[in-house]
Amino acid sequence: MSVWALGINHQTAPLDLRGRFAFALDQIQPTLNGYRQSLPRQPEATLLSTCNRTELYAAGDQAAVEPTLDWLAQTGGVSTHVLRDHAYILRENDAARHAFRVASGLDSMVLGEAQILGQMKDAVRAAEEAGALGTTLHQLFQRSFAVAKQVRSSTEIGAHSISMTAAAVRLATQLFEDIKDIRVLFVGAGDMIELAATHFAAKTPKSMSIANRTLERGEKLAGRFGAEVMRLAEIPDRLHEFDAVISCTASTLPIIGLGAVERALKKRRHRPMFMVDLAVPRDIEAEVKALDDVYLYTVDDLASVVQTGKDNRQAAVAQAEVIIDAGVLSFMHWLQQRDPATGMVPLIQQIHAQADEWRSAELVRARKLLAKGEPVEAVLEALSKGLTQKMLHGTLAELRSTDADSRAATAHTVSRLFLRDKS
Protein backbone atom coordinates (compact mmCIF):
# COMPACT_ATOMS: atom_id res chain seq x y z
CA MET A 1 0.00 0.00 0.00
CA SER A 2 1.52 3.28 -1.15
CA VAL A 3 0.38 6.74 -0.04
CA TRP A 4 0.58 9.74 -2.36
CA ALA A 5 -0.91 13.18 -2.97
CA LEU A 6 -1.50 15.06 -6.22
CA GLY A 7 -2.52 18.70 -6.17
CA ILE A 8 -2.24 22.36 -7.09
CA ASN A 9 -2.32 25.32 -4.72
CA HIS A 10 -1.85 29.08 -4.48
CA GLN A 11 1.92 28.65 -4.67
CA THR A 12 1.97 26.58 -7.85
CA ALA A 13 -1.06 27.61 -9.92
CA PRO A 14 -2.73 30.92 -10.88
CA LEU A 15 -6.25 31.74 -9.73
CA ASP A 16 -8.00 30.98 -13.02
CA LEU A 17 -6.37 27.54 -13.29
CA ARG A 18 -7.32 26.74 -9.70
CA GLY A 19 -10.87 27.74 -10.59
CA ARG A 20 -11.06 24.93 -13.15
CA PHE A 21 -10.43 22.38 -10.40
CA ALA A 22 -12.67 23.82 -7.69
CA PHE A 23 -15.24 21.36 -6.30
CA ALA A 24 -18.09 22.30 -3.98
CA LEU A 25 -18.55 20.03 -0.97
CA ASP A 26 -21.61 18.36 -2.49
CA GLN A 27 -19.59 17.52 -5.62
CA ILE A 28 -16.88 15.59 -3.78
CA GLN A 29 -18.73 12.28 -3.43
CA PRO A 30 -19.73 11.91 -7.11
CA THR A 31 -16.31 13.16 -8.21
CA LEU A 32 -14.52 10.58 -6.04
CA ASN A 33 -16.83 7.85 -7.33
CA GLY A 34 -16.07 8.84 -10.92
CA TYR A 35 -12.34 8.94 -10.26
CA ARG A 36 -12.17 5.53 -8.58
CA GLN A 37 -14.32 3.92 -11.27
CA SER A 38 -11.91 5.21 -13.91
CA LEU A 39 -9.17 2.92 -12.54
CA PRO A 40 -8.99 -0.88 -12.79
CA ARG A 41 -7.98 -1.15 -9.11
CA GLN A 42 -9.82 1.39 -6.97
CA PRO A 43 -7.54 3.16 -4.47
CA GLU A 44 -8.58 4.79 -1.23
CA ALA A 45 -9.08 8.47 -2.05
CA THR A 46 -9.96 11.83 -0.49
CA LEU A 47 -10.48 15.10 -2.37
CA LEU A 48 -9.75 18.44 -0.67
CA SER A 49 -10.88 21.56 -2.53
CA THR A 50 -10.67 25.13 -1.18
CA CYS A 51 -10.08 28.56 -2.72
CA ASN A 52 -6.34 28.00 -2.34
CA ARG A 53 -5.93 24.34 -3.28
CA THR A 54 -7.30 21.20 -4.85
CA GLU A 55 -5.58 18.03 -3.63
CA LEU A 56 -6.31 14.36 -4.11
CA TYR A 57 -4.85 12.04 -1.47
CA ALA A 58 -4.75 8.34 -2.31
CA ALA A 59 -3.58 5.02 -0.90
CA GLY A 60 -3.05 2.20 -3.34
CA ASP A 61 -0.94 1.21 -6.31
CA GLN A 62 1.78 3.73 -7.30
CA ALA A 63 0.96 2.93 -10.94
CA ALA A 64 -2.30 4.89 -10.49
CA VAL A 65 -0.48 8.24 -10.17
CA GLU A 66 -0.14 8.95 -13.89
CA PRO A 67 -3.72 7.91 -14.76
CA THR A 68 -4.87 10.15 -11.91
CA LEU A 69 -3.01 13.10 -13.41
CA ASP A 70 -4.71 12.40 -16.76
CA TRP A 71 -8.13 12.07 -15.11
CA LEU A 72 -7.75 15.33 -13.14
CA ALA A 73 -6.59 17.23 -16.23
CA GLN A 74 -9.58 15.96 -18.21
CA THR A 75 -11.92 16.89 -15.34
CA GLY A 76 -10.58 20.47 -15.37
CA GLY A 77 -10.65 20.72 -19.16
CA VAL A 78 -6.90 21.22 -19.61
CA SER A 79 -4.14 19.11 -21.10
CA THR A 80 -2.10 16.80 -18.91
CA HIS A 81 0.97 18.82 -19.90
CA VAL A 82 -0.53 22.07 -18.57
CA LEU A 83 -1.61 20.49 -15.30
CA ARG A 84 1.76 18.78 -14.81
CA ASP A 85 3.51 22.16 -15.08
CA HIS A 86 1.56 23.45 -12.05
CA ALA A 87 0.96 20.27 -10.03
CA TYR A 88 2.95 18.55 -7.32
CA ILE A 89 3.08 14.82 -6.70
CA LEU A 90 4.18 13.76 -3.23
CA ARG A 91 4.78 10.18 -2.11
CA GLU A 92 4.99 8.32 1.20
CA ASN A 93 6.53 10.45 3.99
CA ASP A 94 6.42 13.59 1.81
CA ALA A 95 2.68 13.08 1.28
CA ALA A 96 2.13 12.56 5.01
CA ARG A 97 4.20 15.63 5.89
CA HIS A 98 2.22 17.71 3.41
CA ALA A 99 -1.12 16.56 4.88
CA PHE A 100 0.08 17.39 8.40
CA ARG A 101 1.35 20.83 7.33
CA VAL A 102 -1.90 21.62 5.53
CA ALA A 103 -3.99 20.61 8.56
CA SER A 104 -1.77 22.73 10.83
CA GLY A 105 -2.11 25.83 8.64
CA LEU A 106 1.56 25.89 7.65
CA ASP A 107 0.82 25.58 3.93
CA SER A 108 -1.93 28.21 3.87
CA MET A 109 -1.81 31.66 2.33
CA VAL A 110 -2.71 32.89 5.82
CA LEU A 111 -0.05 31.23 7.97
CA GLY A 112 -1.66 29.45 10.89
CA GLU A 113 -5.26 29.96 9.75
CA ALA A 114 -7.69 27.55 11.39
CA GLN A 115 -10.37 27.29 8.69
CA ILE A 116 -8.45 24.70 6.66
CA LEU A 117 -8.75 22.11 9.44
CA GLY A 118 -12.54 22.21 9.25
CA GLN A 119 -12.38 22.00 5.46
CA MET A 120 -10.16 18.91 5.70
CA LYS A 121 -12.57 17.28 8.13
CA ASP A 122 -15.45 17.98 5.74
CA ALA A 123 -13.48 16.43 2.87
CA VAL A 124 -12.66 13.32 4.91
CA ARG A 125 -16.31 12.98 5.95
CA ALA A 126 -17.40 13.21 2.31
CA ALA A 127 -14.85 10.55 1.30
CA GLU A 128 -16.08 8.28 4.08
CA GLU A 129 -19.70 8.70 2.95
CA ALA A 130 -18.61 7.86 -0.60
CA GLY A 131 -16.99 4.65 0.63
CA ALA A 132 -13.58 5.86 -0.57
CA LEU A 133 -11.87 6.19 2.82
CA GLY A 134 -10.02 3.04 3.85
CA THR A 135 -7.87 2.18 6.85
CA THR A 136 -4.71 3.85 5.54
CA LEU A 137 -6.19 7.26 4.71
CA HIS A 138 -8.30 7.14 7.87
CA GLN A 139 -5.08 6.81 9.85
CA LEU A 140 -3.36 9.53 7.83
CA PHE A 141 -6.08 12.10 8.43
CA GLN A 142 -6.85 11.23 12.03
CA ARG A 143 -3.16 11.66 12.77
CA SER A 144 -3.08 14.91 10.80
CA PHE A 145 -5.95 16.26 12.92
CA ALA A 146 -4.15 15.23 16.12
CA VAL A 147 -0.92 16.88 14.94
CA ALA A 148 -2.81 20.07 14.02
CA LYS A 149 -4.38 20.16 17.48
CA GLN A 150 -0.97 19.75 19.12
CA VAL A 151 0.54 22.47 16.92
CA ARG A 152 -2.19 24.93 17.87
CA SER A 153 -2.06 24.14 21.57
CA SER A 154 1.74 23.98 21.86
CA THR A 155 2.84 26.86 19.61
CA GLU A 156 1.76 30.39 18.74
CA ILE A 157 1.42 29.61 15.05
CA GLY A 158 -1.93 31.41 14.83
CA ALA A 159 -0.89 34.46 16.85
CA HIS A 160 -1.10 37.81 15.04
CA SER A 161 -2.26 36.20 11.79
CA ILE A 162 -4.45 38.30 9.53
CA SER A 163 -7.35 36.53 7.84
CA MET A 164 -8.48 37.21 4.28
CA THR A 165 -11.59 38.96 5.54
CA ALA A 166 -9.64 41.10 8.00
CA ALA A 167 -7.28 42.02 5.16
CA ALA A 168 -10.29 43.13 3.10
CA VAL A 169 -11.37 45.49 5.89
CA ARG A 170 -7.83 46.85 6.16
CA LEU A 171 -7.76 47.61 2.42
CA ALA A 172 -11.19 49.26 2.61
CA THR A 173 -9.97 51.61 5.33
CA GLN A 174 -7.17 52.70 3.00
CA LEU A 175 -9.66 53.63 0.26
CA PHE A 176 -12.45 55.20 2.32
CA GLU A 177 -11.90 57.87 4.95
CA ASP A 178 -14.41 56.25 7.27
CA ILE A 179 -16.08 52.84 6.98
CA LYS A 180 -19.06 54.33 8.82
CA ASP A 181 -19.93 56.29 5.66
CA ILE A 182 -20.13 53.37 3.23
CA ARG A 183 -22.73 50.83 2.16
CA VAL A 184 -21.50 47.24 1.95
CA LEU A 185 -22.94 44.38 -0.12
CA PHE A 186 -22.05 40.78 0.71
CA VAL A 187 -22.71 38.23 -2.04
CA GLY A 188 -23.20 34.72 -0.68
CA ALA A 189 -23.97 33.41 2.81
CA GLY A 190 -21.23 30.85 3.50
CA ASP A 191 -18.54 30.76 6.18
CA MET A 192 -16.25 33.23 4.40
CA ILE A 193 -19.01 35.80 3.98
CA GLU A 194 -20.01 35.33 7.61
CA LEU A 195 -16.44 36.12 8.65
CA ALA A 196 -16.31 39.13 6.34
CA ALA A 197 -19.62 40.46 7.66
CA THR A 198 -18.36 40.04 11.22
CA HIS A 199 -15.23 42.09 10.51
CA PHE A 200 -17.07 44.83 8.64
CA ALA A 201 -19.87 44.99 11.23
CA ALA A 202 -17.25 45.80 13.87
CA LYS A 203 -16.53 49.01 11.90
CA THR A 204 -20.28 49.91 11.86
CA PRO A 205 -20.77 50.82 8.17
CA LYS A 206 -23.79 52.92 7.13
CA SER A 207 -25.59 49.81 5.88
CA MET A 208 -24.99 46.13 5.14
CA SER A 209 -26.89 43.98 2.63
CA ILE A 210 -26.63 40.27 1.87
CA ALA A 211 -27.49 38.84 -1.54
CA ASN A 212 -27.92 35.08 -1.74
CA ARG A 213 -29.45 32.54 -4.06
CA THR A 214 -31.72 31.26 -1.28
CA LEU A 215 -33.39 33.96 0.79
CA GLU A 216 -33.82 31.72 3.83
CA ARG A 217 -30.08 31.33 4.43
CA GLY A 218 -29.46 34.97 3.56
CA GLU A 219 -32.13 36.08 6.05
CA LYS A 220 -30.60 33.95 8.80
CA LEU A 221 -27.19 35.61 8.34
CA ALA A 222 -28.67 39.07 7.81
CA GLY A 223 -30.56 38.77 11.10
CA ARG A 224 -27.28 38.52 12.99
CA PHE A 225 -26.02 41.84 11.70
CA GLY A 226 -29.19 43.81 11.14
CA ALA A 227 -28.56 43.66 7.41
CA GLU A 228 -30.97 43.81 4.48
CA VAL A 229 -31.39 40.66 2.40
CA MET A 230 -31.85 40.50 -1.38
CA ARG A 231 -31.79 37.98 -4.21
CA LEU A 232 -28.83 37.52 -6.54
CA ALA A 233 -31.05 38.52 -9.45
CA GLU A 234 -31.42 42.01 -7.94
CA ILE A 235 -27.69 42.75 -8.03
CA PRO A 236 -27.44 44.25 -11.57
CA ASP A 237 -30.18 46.82 -10.81
CA ARG A 238 -28.94 47.72 -7.33
CA LEU A 239 -25.15 47.44 -7.63
CA HIS A 240 -24.74 51.22 -7.88
CA GLU A 241 -26.08 51.60 -4.32
CA PHE A 242 -23.02 50.00 -2.76
CA ASP A 243 -19.54 51.38 -2.12
CA ALA A 244 -18.03 48.01 -1.20
CA VAL A 245 -18.85 44.54 -2.54
CA ILE A 246 -17.50 41.35 -0.93
CA SER A 247 -18.35 38.17 -2.84
CA CYS A 248 -17.79 34.50 -2.17
CA THR A 249 -20.18 31.92 -3.63
CA ALA A 250 -19.84 28.42 -5.05
CA SER A 251 -21.02 29.52 -8.50
CA THR A 252 -19.13 28.05 -11.44
CA LEU A 253 -19.71 31.23 -13.50
CA PRO A 254 -19.19 34.93 -12.63
CA ILE A 255 -22.17 36.53 -10.88
CA ILE A 256 -21.12 40.15 -11.44
CA GLY A 257 -20.14 40.96 -15.00
CA LEU A 258 -18.25 43.83 -16.60
CA GLY A 259 -21.40 45.39 -18.06
CA ALA A 260 -23.20 45.47 -14.70
CA VAL A 261 -20.26 47.22 -13.03
CA GLU A 262 -19.93 49.75 -15.88
CA ARG A 263 -23.63 50.66 -15.55
CA ALA A 264 -23.28 50.93 -11.77
CA LEU A 265 -20.31 53.30 -12.10
CA LYS A 266 -22.25 55.48 -14.50
CA LYS A 267 -25.13 55.78 -12.02
CA ARG A 268 -22.62 56.53 -9.24
CA ARG A 269 -21.07 59.27 -11.40
CA HIS A 270 -17.82 57.35 -11.13
CA ARG A 271 -17.50 57.44 -7.36
CA PRO A 272 -15.03 54.61 -6.55
CA MET A 273 -16.16 51.08 -5.76
CA PHE A 274 -14.20 48.66 -3.58
CA MET A 275 -14.66 45.00 -4.60
CA VAL A 276 -13.23 41.82 -3.11
CA ASP A 277 -13.71 38.49 -4.88
CA LEU A 278 -12.93 35.68 -2.44
CA ALA A 279 -14.39 32.98 -4.69
CA VAL A 280 -12.63 30.31 -6.74
CA PRO A 281 -13.77 30.20 -9.53
CA ARG A 282 -14.27 33.96 -9.77
CA ASP A 283 -17.57 35.63 -8.85
CA ILE A 284 -16.57 38.92 -10.51
CA GLU A 285 -15.35 39.00 -14.11
CA ALA A 286 -11.60 39.58 -14.32
CA GLU A 287 -12.05 42.46 -16.81
CA VAL A 288 -13.66 44.56 -14.05
CA LYS A 289 -10.20 45.16 -12.61
CA ALA A 290 -9.27 47.32 -15.61
CA LEU A 291 -11.99 49.91 -14.85
CA ASP A 292 -10.57 53.19 -13.55
CA ASP A 293 -12.94 53.66 -10.63
CA VAL A 294 -12.96 50.08 -9.36
CA TYR A 295 -10.51 48.63 -6.83
CA LEU A 296 -10.91 44.88 -7.27
CA TYR A 297 -8.95 42.38 -5.16
CA THR A 298 -8.90 38.57 -5.52
CA VAL A 299 -7.69 36.01 -2.99
CA ASP A 300 -4.26 36.10 -4.62
CA ASP A 301 -4.14 39.92 -4.45
CA LEU A 302 -4.66 39.72 -0.70
CA ALA A 303 -1.58 37.52 -0.26
CA SER A 304 0.86 40.36 0.51
CA VAL A 305 -1.53 41.84 3.08
CA VAL A 306 -2.05 38.62 5.01
CA GLN A 307 1.70 37.94 5.12
CA THR A 308 2.15 40.90 7.49
CA GLY A 309 3.65 39.65 10.71
CA LYS A 310 4.76 36.37 9.16
CA ASP A 311 8.36 36.90 10.24
CA ASN A 312 7.23 37.18 13.86
CA ARG A 313 5.83 33.64 13.67
CA GLN A 314 8.89 31.86 12.29
CA ALA A 315 9.89 30.55 15.73
CA ALA A 316 6.44 29.01 16.07
CA VAL A 317 6.81 27.49 12.60
CA ALA A 318 10.06 25.81 13.65
CA GLN A 319 8.32 24.35 16.72
CA ALA A 320 5.42 23.17 14.58
CA GLU A 321 7.75 21.45 12.12
CA VAL A 322 9.27 19.40 14.97
CA ILE A 323 5.80 18.21 15.98
CA ILE A 324 4.98 17.42 12.36
CA ASP A 325 8.22 15.47 11.85
CA ALA A 326 7.40 13.30 14.88
CA GLY A 327 3.91 12.70 13.48
CA VAL A 328 5.33 11.68 10.09
CA LEU A 329 7.74 9.20 11.68
CA SER A 330 4.91 7.67 13.69
CA PHE A 331 2.64 7.33 10.66
CA MET A 332 5.38 5.84 8.46
CA HIS A 333 6.21 3.34 11.22
CA TRP A 334 2.53 2.34 11.32
CA LEU A 335 2.47 2.05 7.52
CA GLN A 336 5.62 -0.08 7.43
CA GLN A 337 4.19 -2.40 10.07
CA ARG A 338 1.38 -3.17 7.63
CA ASP A 339 3.71 -3.94 4.70
CA PRO A 340 3.54 -7.69 3.93
CA ALA A 341 7.22 -7.62 2.92
CA THR A 342 8.67 -5.80 5.93
CA GLY A 343 5.95 -5.24 8.50
CA MET A 344 4.91 -7.18 11.59
CA VAL A 345 1.13 -6.97 11.09
CA PRO A 346 0.99 -9.90 8.61
CA LEU A 347 3.17 -12.01 10.95
CA ILE A 348 0.98 -11.13 13.94
CA GLN A 349 -2.10 -12.11 11.93
CA GLN A 350 -0.49 -15.44 11.02
CA ILE A 351 0.38 -16.12 14.67
CA HIS A 352 -3.20 -15.41 15.72
CA ALA A 353 -4.51 -17.69 12.96
CA GLN A 354 -2.19 -20.50 14.01
CA ALA A 355 -3.18 -20.13 17.67
CA ASP A 356 -6.88 -20.23 16.71
CA GLU A 357 -6.26 -23.39 14.68
CA TRP A 358 -4.59 -25.09 17.67
CA ARG A 359 -7.36 -24.00 20.02
CA SER A 360 -10.08 -25.26 17.65
CA ALA A 361 -8.36 -28.63 17.29
CA GLU A 362 -8.11 -29.10 21.04
CA LEU A 363 -11.73 -28.04 21.56
CA VAL A 364 -12.88 -30.64 19.00
CA ARG A 365 -10.82 -33.30 20.81
CA ALA A 366 -12.19 -32.26 24.21
CA ARG A 367 -15.82 -32.38 23.03
CA LYS A 368 -15.30 -35.90 21.69
CA LEU A 369 -13.89 -37.02 25.06
CA LEU A 370 -16.85 -35.47 26.89
CA ALA A 371 -19.26 -37.20 24.50
CA LYS A 372 -17.62 -40.52 25.42
CA GLY A 373 -18.32 -39.83 29.07
CA GLU A 374 -14.78 -38.93 30.18
CA PRO A 375 -14.64 -36.96 33.49
CA VAL A 376 -14.63 -33.18 33.01
CA GLU A 377 -11.46 -32.74 35.08
CA ALA A 378 -9.60 -35.27 32.93
CA VAL A 379 -10.81 -33.59 29.72
CA LEU A 380 -9.73 -30.13 30.94
CA GLU A 381 -6.32 -31.55 31.91
CA ALA A 382 -5.90 -33.12 28.46
CA LEU A 383 -7.03 -29.91 26.72
CA SER A 384 -4.54 -27.73 28.60
CA LYS A 385 -1.65 -30.15 28.04
CA GLY A 386 -2.45 -30.56 24.35
CA LEU A 387 -2.64 -26.80 23.80
CA THR A 388 0.59 -26.21 25.74
CA GLN A 389 2.44 -28.86 23.76
CA LYS A 390 1.30 -27.39 20.44
CA MET A 391 2.37 -23.87 21.46
CA LEU A 392 5.81 -24.96 22.75
CA HIS A 393 6.66 -27.57 20.14
CA GLY A 394 8.25 -25.22 17.61
CA THR A 395 10.18 -23.26 20.23
CA LEU A 396 11.62 -26.39 21.91
CA ALA A 397 12.47 -27.93 18.54
CA GLU A 398 14.34 -24.77 17.57
CA LEU A 399 16.35 -24.81 20.81
CA ARG A 400 17.34 -28.45 20.29
CA SER A 401 18.30 -28.08 16.64
CA THR A 402 20.12 -24.73 16.76
CA ASP A 403 23.86 -24.94 16.12
CA ALA A 404 26.26 -24.07 18.92
CA ASP A 405 27.11 -20.63 17.52
CA SER A 406 23.53 -19.35 17.52
CA ARG A 407 22.23 -21.36 20.51
CA ALA A 408 23.01 -18.59 23.01
CA ALA A 409 21.18 -15.97 20.97
CA THR A 410 18.19 -18.28 20.50
CA ALA A 411 18.12 -19.11 24.20
CA HIS A 412 18.21 -15.40 25.06
CA THR A 413 15.28 -14.68 22.71
CA VAL A 414 13.24 -17.59 24.07
CA SER A 415 13.95 -16.50 27.65
CA ARG A 416 12.87 -12.96 26.86
CA LEU A 417 9.64 -14.19 25.24
CA PHE A 418 8.61 -16.85 27.75
CA LEU A 419 10.42 -16.11 31.01
CA ARG A 420 10.14 -12.31 31.25
CA ASP A 421 9.73 -10.88 34.73
CA LYS A 422 6.00 -10.32 35.36
CA SER A 423 6.73 -7.78 38.10
Side-chain angles (χ1 to χ4, degrees):
M1 181 70 71
S2 180
V3 177
W4 44 273
L6 165 66
I8 57 174
N9 64 17
H10 60 285
Q11 297 172 329
T12 69
L15 174 62
D16 288 330
L17 182 62
R18 299 203 306 274
R20 288 179 170 272
F21 298 95
F23 300 94
L25 190 58
D26 60 2
Q27 294 177 302
I28 289 182
Q29 284 192 49
T31 302
L32 280 177
N33 290 335
Y35 160 63
R36 297 177 77 224
Q37 289 167 10
S38 72
L39 299 172
R41 297 178 63 183
Q42 296 188 1
E44 299 178 27
T46 301
L47 181 63
L48 172 66
S49 183
T50 73
C51 61
N52 288 331
R53 71 184 66 248
T54 293
E55 296 176 338
L56 196 149
Y57 294 86
D61 191 345
Q62 277 279 8
V65 175
E66 286 300 319
T68 299
L69 188 68
D70 294 335
W71 169 84
L72 188 59
Q74 184 178 7
T75 302
V78 302
S79 68
T80 301
H81 173 72
V82 168
L83 179 58
R84 192 188 301 275
D85 285 345
H86 295 279
Y88 41 87
I89 299 172
L90 305 167
R91 295 175 171 86
E92 310 302 351
N93 60 318
D94 289 333
R97 178 172 286 102
H98 182 74
F100 293 172
R101 294 186 86 254
V102 170
S104 302
L106 267 66
D107 196 62
S108 297
M109 185 180 290
V110 181
L111 182 63
E113 59 102 358
Q115 189 178 14
I116 185 63
L117 184 58
Q119 293 169 325
M120 285 188 79
K121 289 181 177 179
D122 288 341
V124 170
R125 194 175 300 113
E128 191 169 20
E129 291 171 356
L133 191 74
T135 302
T136 301
L137 286 190
H138 175 79
Q139 276 288 325
L140 174 67
F141 286 110
Q142 291 306 312
R143 288 168 184 259
S144 72
F145 301 154
V147 164
K149 182 178 179 181
Q150 186 179 355
V151 166
R152 296 191 186 284
S153 62
S154 304
T155 75
E156 294 186 357
I157 193 67
H160 315 299
S161 64
I162 300 173
S163 69
M164 290 285 185
T165 52
V169 175
R170 177 178 291 189
L171 288 169
T173 59
Q174 294 174 6
L175 178 62
F176 302 107
E177 290 185 10
D178 195 337
I179 298 294
K180 294 179 180 179
D181 297 328
I182 70 170
R183 301 177 187 275
V184 186
L185 171 64
F186 299 97
V187 183
D191 293 341
M192 192 68 81
I193 288 298
E194 183 176 354
L195 284 171
T198 301
H199 281 288
F200 271 93
K203 299 292 185 179
T204 60
K206 182 182 291 185
S207 72
M208 292 171 56
S209 299
I210 294 174
N212 196 49
R213 197 175 304 278
T214 33
L215 278 182
E216 183 180 354
R217 186 167 183 180
E219 287 171 347
K220 185 177 179 181
L221 184 58
R224 287 186 50 196
F225 302 104
E228 178 194 4
V229 66
M230 54 189 277
R231 296 184 183 277
L232 291 182
E234 297 178 57
I235 292 178
D237 294 330
R238 296 190 55 188
L239 191 58
H240 66 281
E241 299 174 18
F242 304 100
D243 305 292
V245 179
I246 317 297
S247 187
C248 187
T249 74
S251 175
T252 56
L253 297 172
I255 291 172
I256 301 175
L258 176 63
V261 179
E262 287 177 328
R263 289 191 297 273
L265 287 173
K266 188 175 181 180
K267 290 181 181 179
R268 291 172 60 83
R269 297 182 181 179
H270 294 276
R271 283 184 291 116
M273 291 183 71
F274 173 74
M275 308 184 83
V276 177
D277 188 351
L278 296 171
V280 179
R282 296 175 188 262
D283 277 346
I284 303 172
E285 285 188 344
E287 293 79 6
V288 169
K289 195 165 190 173
L291 297 176
D292 289 338
D293 300 303
V294 173
Y295 297 83
L296 172 61
Y297 298 89
T298 66
V299 285
D300 287 358
D301 294 326
L302 295 176
S304 60
V305 181
V306 301
Q307 295 305 323
T308 302
K310 183 176 180 179
D311 292 342
N312 298 332
R313 298 193 297 279
Q314 288 309 305
V317 170
Q319 293 174 325
E321 294 286 11
V322 171
I323 295 170
I324 288 168
D325 285 345
V328 171
L329 284 174
S330 176
F331 174 71
M332 293 308 297
H333 176 72
W334 175 85
L335 196 61
Q336 288 160 7
Q337 290 291 316
R338 298 179 62 80
D339 188 337
T342 61
M344 292 296 105
V345 170
L347 176 59
I348 292 170
Q349 292 172 338
Q350 290 173 16
I351 291 172
H352 277 297
Q354 180 66 81
D356 283 340
E357 184 180 323
W358 290 334
R359 182 176 61 84
S360 297
E362 289 304 317
L363 281 173
V364 169
R365 181 167 170 265
R367 289 190 179 103
K368 288 180 178 178
L369 291 174
L370 288 172
K372 290 179 180 180
E374 294 288 338
V376 173
E377 284 298 322
V379 172
L380 289 175
E381 186 71 19
L383 184 149
S384 63
K385 283 185 177 180
L387 194 56
T388 301
Q389 287 172 354
K390 281 181 169 62
M391 293 180 68
L392 294 179
H393 173 73
T395 301
L396 297 176
E398 189 69 19
L399 281 172
R400 295 189 188 103
S401 63
T402 302
D403 59 76
D405 292 336
S406 58
R407 189 170 296 146
T410 303
H412 175 72
T413 299
V414 171
S415 298
R416 190 160 53 84
L417 292 174
F418 291 95
L419 304 177
R420 65 170 59 193
D421 186 0
K422 295 181 180 180
S423 60

